[in-house]
Amino acid sequence: MTGDHRVVDADEAWERLRDVRSVADAGSAGLVPGPDGRTRWRHGTPEADDLADRYLPLCLGGPRLTFAQLGQSLDGFIASRTGDADYVTGEEDRAHLHRMRALADAVVVGAGTAVADDPRLTVRACPGTDPVRVVLDPHGRVPPGHRVFTDGAAPTLWVVGADGGRGREVAGRDGVDVLTLPDRAAFAPRNLVRELARRGLGRVLVEGGGGTVSRFLHEGALHRLYITVAPVLLGDGVPGLAFPGPALMRDALRPPTRRVLLGEDTLFELDLRRTPDRGEPVGHEHAGAGQARREAQ
């Protein structure tokens, strides 16, 4: 694939990255470690190198990887007080989100997000394969006429509680499967991740909303968290991460963090696998970031 000296542009870089799942794959694709410790294309444009830097950790994250994304205002809201989120962040962040969908086996949303946004959860802003759409709906709140159940654009797994009573309404539709869990405890994030892995869905993107992402974060079920902050002030609205935090700042968890500019927005990438102990200062190369403890929405 890399025997010539053609320059790898952003489009070619993304096509190659989609197939990278090991260090050997990365080398075959034309990626080489640089003197600064970061991996770059052997012959790549700056834009292609940016894509490698941003997404290679996900590509090399292994067959069992859970990551999440939120887009929010400067003051921490993912939607206005009326629930309008169209759009908090800009076009570059939406392209970033679609790339992460393309790198996932499954994309997970909670019932609140599915009801309010009627999302498609497909890959449209970049080349890539659609993940399985997973809707967490313990009480059967999501209308069966929503697009994830009717558009046939990608497979959908509707996860409902035993007392929800809604799964049978879509069970016979093409591309729609229903998973009935016995009780609320079965909806715990770690249990859900294990259940998805048993179905061959080991690489999981948790896309929203804030309550769902907070639960996964609080229970230690996330390996990486991406938060894109837009230069917007809402004053009030639907919170992103909401949790009862520690009494003392030194007790906050401070995972290693990278920052990337996406147009006017700023993307924060938190590596939750390498979180220092409470009270341990983060090195100067990382920005401090508190970790959510519990969903409070």
Side-chain angles (χ1 to χ4, degrees):
M1 185 189 303
T2 60
D4 57 41
H5 296 286
R6 291 178 299 168
V7 174
V8 176
D9 62 12
D11 289 341
E12 177 68 16
W14 176 244
E15 288 293 339
R16 296 187 185 187
L17 280 168
R18 288 168 51 203
D19 294 327
V20 171
R21 291 295 180 270
S22 68
V23 173
D25 290 341
S28 297
L31 287 160
V32 294
D36 58 356
R38 294 185 174 181
T39 302
R40 298 287 187 269
W41 299 103
R42 188 172 290 110
H43 305 287
T45 65
E47 294 78 13
D49 285 340
D50 286 345
L51 290 176
D53 193 48
R54 191 177 311 156
Y55 298 109
L56 194 59
L58 288 181
C59 295
L60 299 180
R64 295 284 297 273
L65 182 70
T66 308
F67 50 105
Q69 160 79 11
L70 284 177
Q72 67 178 45
S73 65
L74 275 172
D75 45 356
F77 299 107
I78 60 175
S80 73
R81 57 184 173 79
T82 64
D84 178 39
D86 193 11
Y87 290 102
V88 179
T89 56
E91 191 65 35
E92 291 191 31
D93 183 53
R94 289 192 289 280
H96 162 67
L97 175 60
H98 284 230
R99 289 191 187 105
M100 290 204 299
R101 289 177 184 172
L103 294 176
D105 299 322
V107 55
V108 172
V109 294
T113 295
V115 170
D117 297 345
D118 191 11
R120 285 183 279 179
L121 304 176
T122 53
V123 178
R124 304 183 303 279
C126 66
T129 302
D130 294 321
V132 174
R133 304 176 292 190
V134 180
V135 181
L136 305 180
D137 192 9
H139 305 295
R141 297 167 49 201
V142 183
H146 270 30
R147 288 184 291 193
V148 290
F149 304 131
T150 61
D151 64 10
T156 296
L157 178 64
W158 194 9
V159 186
V160 298
D163 59 351
R166 298 293 298 275
R168 67 180 70 92
E169 299 180 49
V170 302
R173 297 179 186 174
D174 288 342
V176 179
D177 195 7
V178 178
L179 171 62
T180 302
L181 298 181
D183 50 41
R184 185 70 183 184
F187 280 84
R190 287 181 178 273
N191 292 337
L192 289 166
V193 168
R194 284 193 292 267
E195 181 61 40
L196 293 177
R198 281 195 287 269
R199 292 171 170 257
L201 307 175
R203 297 171 58 86
V204 178
L205 168 61
V206 184
E207 190 169 316
T212 299
V213 172
S214 294
R215 280 194 296 275
F216 273 75
L217 186 55
H218 164 58
E219 296 198 15
L222 290 180
H223 299 113
R224 288 184 180 270
L225 172 62
Y226 296 80
I227 300 177
T228 304
V229 179
V232 175
L233 296 172
L234 284 173
D236 68 353
V238 179
L241 296 176
F243 57 94
L248 300 176
M249 184 64 71
R250 68 170 177 262
D251 291 331
L253 297 178
R254 299 176 182 267
T257 302
R258 297 196 301 169
R259 291 184 292 262
V260 176
L261 293 179
L262 297 178
E264 293 185 345
D265 304 329
T266 303
L267 171 64
F268 294 84
E269 176 191 351
L270 284 65
D271 184 351
L272 301 172
R273 292 206 244 207
R274 298 192 299 119
T275 302
D277 293 335
R278 283 184 174 85
E280 179 183 337
V282 178
H284 68 275
E285 74 275 15
H286 298 302
Q291 178 172 329
R293 297 262 187 109
R294 182 173 179 84
E295 176 270 327
Q297 186 175 343

